[in-house]
Amino acid sequence: MGYHCSTEQRGMLVHSCIAATDQGIPLGLLYQEIHTRDVRRDDSGTKDEKRSRPIEEKESYRWIHTMNEIHQRVAEDIPVLTVCDREGDFYEFFSNAADLGENFLIRLVQNRMVDDGKKIFHELHQSPVAGSMVVRMGRNPKEHIPARNVKMDYHYKEVVVHCPKRRTEKHIREKLVLTAIYVHESGKKGTEWFLLTTVRVKNEKDIEKLIQCYAHRWKIERFHFILKSGCKIEKNQAREYERLKFLTLLYSVIALQILNLTYLGKICPEISSEIVFDKEEWKILYCCARKTKEIPETYTLKEAIYDLGILSGIKGAPSDGMPGARSICQGLEVLCSLLAYRKYML
C-alpha cells in the first residue's frame, strides 16, 4: 500500500470510468486504474515548478491514459462523450482528445484567457442568455437537499483556447477551438456550471443535450457511494495489495449492476422485472417480501425494487418513496441469502 495525501495513512487510489446512456442509465465499467504513492506528497516546491513538470510525471496523467484506453476499447461507430469534473481541466487533456478525435465535456475550474485577451468566465457572463431548461438535480444528503427539478438559464460562446506558455512540448497543439457554456439557476444565486466541450454547437437543442449529459456526471458519485457504503470495499480486510486490487474490480462491477438497477427503476419502472431477475428469483422475492404464497402473472421492475426495500427493513410508508441505492444493496443481500438456502426450504 502507498501513502495517502501528506499523512501517514496508507491506501491506494482508484480512478474509474463508467459508461452511461444519454438517458442516464449506467451500463458498466469501461476502465479502472489503481495506483499507489511510494512517498508522501511533496509540498515543498512552488506552484509554478509543479505546474511546469511534464504531464507524464503528474497523477492527473491518468485522465489522458483513461481516454487513450477508451479510444482503443470502444468501437469507432459508437459516439462517445467523455464527461469529467474539474480535475480534468488541463490543456494537455484537451490536446490529447483533439489528436484522438474524441469529444469531451469538462467543468472548468481555471478562468482561462481566450483569443480576444479576455477571461473566459467574464466572456460568458457578458454573453446574452440563449435559453432555459429544466434539469433534474440529484439529492445532496450532506446538505440535506432532496432531489428536485431546477430551471436553469444557459449562455454559450465559441472560444479559442491557447496552449499555456509553460508547455513547450512539440506534440501539444498551439490552440483549440472549443465551445464554452455557462449554466446557472434562473433568477437566483445557486447552482452554476462553467463547461467546456469539443462539440460544435449548432442550435439550442445541442446545448441542452450537453447540459443534460453533464447532469449525469453525478452517476460516478453514486457509483462510489455504492462501492463504499453498499459493497463496503474500504472495510475489506484483504492482506495483500494484489488481492485488494482484484476485489476492488470485482465489487466495482457489482456496484455498477446495482446502480443500473436503481436507475432502470426510475427511468422505466413498468418494464418486466425479468430483465434483471429470473423467474425463480423474483418469485422468492415477491413471496418473502409480501409474506404470501400467491404468485402474480406479471411483476414489474418498480414492484421488485419496492420489495427489495421491504427486505432491507424499510417500513413502506407512502411518504418513504422508492428505495434508494443503499436499501437496494441491503435487500439484495437478503435475497441472495434466501436464494442460497432455497433448496433446503420445505
Side-chain angles (χ1 to χ4, degrees):
M1 306 300 285
Y3 286 96
H4 183 264
C5 298
S6 58
T7 67
E8 294 295 334
Q9 183 179 358
R10 307 302 289 270
M12 66 184 193
L13 302 174
V14 181
H15 184 76
S16 304
C17 179
I18 67 175
T21 66
D22 290 344
Q23 293 76 32
I25 299 176
L27 300 177
L29 187 69
L30 280 176
Y31 179 71
Q32 187 173 84
E33 183 174 308
I34 297 175
H35 70 281
T36 60
R37 296 177 178 140
D38 296 330
V39 296
R40 286 179 291 182
R41 188 171 62 183
D42 184 11
D43 293 327
S44 60
T46 65
K47 185 176 181 180
D48 289 337
E49 288 175 345
K50 293 178 181 179
R51 297 177 71 180
S52 298
R53 285 187 299 144
I55 187 62
E56 291 80 7
E57 297 179 7
K58 301 178 182 179
E59 288 186 1
S60 53
Y61 183 70
R62 62 182 181 265
W63 291 89
I64 294 178
H65 189 218
T66 298
M67 174 169 279
N68 293 338
E69 290 290 333
I70 301 306
H71 179 74
Q72 295 178 10
R73 298 179 185 207
V74 179
E76 293 183 0
D77 59 339
I78 299 177
V80 176
L81 177 66
T82 302
V83 182
C84 309
D85 62 8
R86 288 173 284 193
E87 193 178 352
D89 181 15
F90 58 100
Y91 190 85
E92 295 90 336
F93 181 80
F94 304 166
S95 179
N96 184 74
D99 292 340
L100 296 176
E102 295 285 352
N103 285 323
F104 64 75
L105 177 64
I106 292 175
R107 185 175 178 184
L108 288 171
V109 65
Q110 301 184 51
N111 192 7
R112 299 177 177 276
M113 189 80 73
V114 290
D115 206 30
D116 56 5
K118 297 181 180 179
K119 295 287 188 177
I120 193 169
F121 291 176
H122 178 266
E123 289 282 84
L124 289 170
H125 276 301
Q126 296 299 315
S127 63
V129 175
S132 301
M133 65 179 294
V134 175
V135 178
R136 180 67 177 176
M137 305 291 288
R139 70 185 185 93
N140 187 337
K142 292 183 179 180
E143 299 182 8
H144 305 287
I145 301 176
R148 65 202 192 282
N149 292 323
V150 180
K151 184 180 179 182
M152 309 282 275
D153 294 337
Y154 55 84
H155 317 234
Y156 68 96
K157 185 175 183 179
E158 190 174 87
V159 296
V160 179
V161 178
H162 291 264
C163 178
K165 294 180 179 180
R166 66 179 181 276
R167 297 267 66 100
T168 58
E169 295 89 339
K170 294 182 179 180
H171 67 276
I172 299 179
R173 300 196 176 199
E174 293 185 4
K175 61 181 180 179
L176 294 167
V177 180
L178 304 171
T179 302
I181 307 169
Y182 174 45
V183 191
H184 59 93
E185 287 192 43
S186 301
K188 63 177 181 178
K189 186 177 181 180
T191 301
E192 66 173 7
W193 303 329
F194 290 96
L195 308 175
L196 196 65
T197 180
T198 49
V199 177
R200 294 297 177 89
V201 174
K202 299 178 181 178
N203 49 49
E204 282 75 15
K205 289 185 178 180
D206 292 341
I207 289 291
E208 293 179 5
K209 183 178 180 180
L210 288 168
I211 294 171
Q212 196 60 59
C213 284
Y214 186 77
H216 293 321
R217 197 205 67 82
W218 188 248
K219 303 294 188 304
I220 194 74
E221 308 295 344
R222 301 305 296 166
F223 160 69
H224 289 140
F225 172 80
I226 296 172
L227 185 62
K228 295 176 182 179
S229 299
C231 300
K232 300 179 176 62
I233 188 63
E234 291 180 322
K235 296 183 179 180
N236 192 283
Q237 295 297 309
R239 297 180 182 272
E240 297 178 2
Y241 171 66
E242 291 299 326
R243 183 180 294 272
L244 187 57
K245 282 176 60 178
F246 172 78
L247 288 172
T248 301
L249 176 61
L250 177 63
Y251 281 121
S252 294
V253 174
I254 295 171
L256 273 160
Q257 293 299 315
I258 297 172
L259 190 67
N260 174 271
L261 173 59
T262 303
Y263 283 96
L264 271 178
K266 294 179 179 180
I267 296 174
C268 39
E270 300 306 320
I271 62 175
S272 172
S273 63
E274 292 188 12
I275 196 172
V276 177
F277 305 101
D278 62 33
K279 287 186 178 180
E280 186 178 16
E281 289 172 343
W282 72 254
K283 287 178 181 179
I284 292 176
L285 171 60
Y286 180 89
C287 294
C288 292
R290 307 197 183 200
K291 298 180 174 61
T292 180
K293 292 186 178 180
E294 297 182 3
I295 299 174
E297 295 183 1
T298 60
Y299 190 48
T300 66
L301 187 61
K302 180 180 180 180
E303 292 172 318
I305 292 175
Y306 180 82
D307 288 344
L308 285 173
I310 296 296
L311 291 184
S312 74
I314 66 171
K315 301 301 182 182
S319 59
D320 288 345
M322 289 298 293
R326 179 179 294 174
S327 296
I328 291 174
C329 287
Q330 296 170 349
L332 285 171
E333 286 185 4
V334 176
L335 178 61
C336 286
S337 298
L338 293 171
L339 293 170
Y341 291 100
R342 66 186 181 277
K343 294 181 180 179
Y344 309 104
M345 294 178 182
L346 297 177

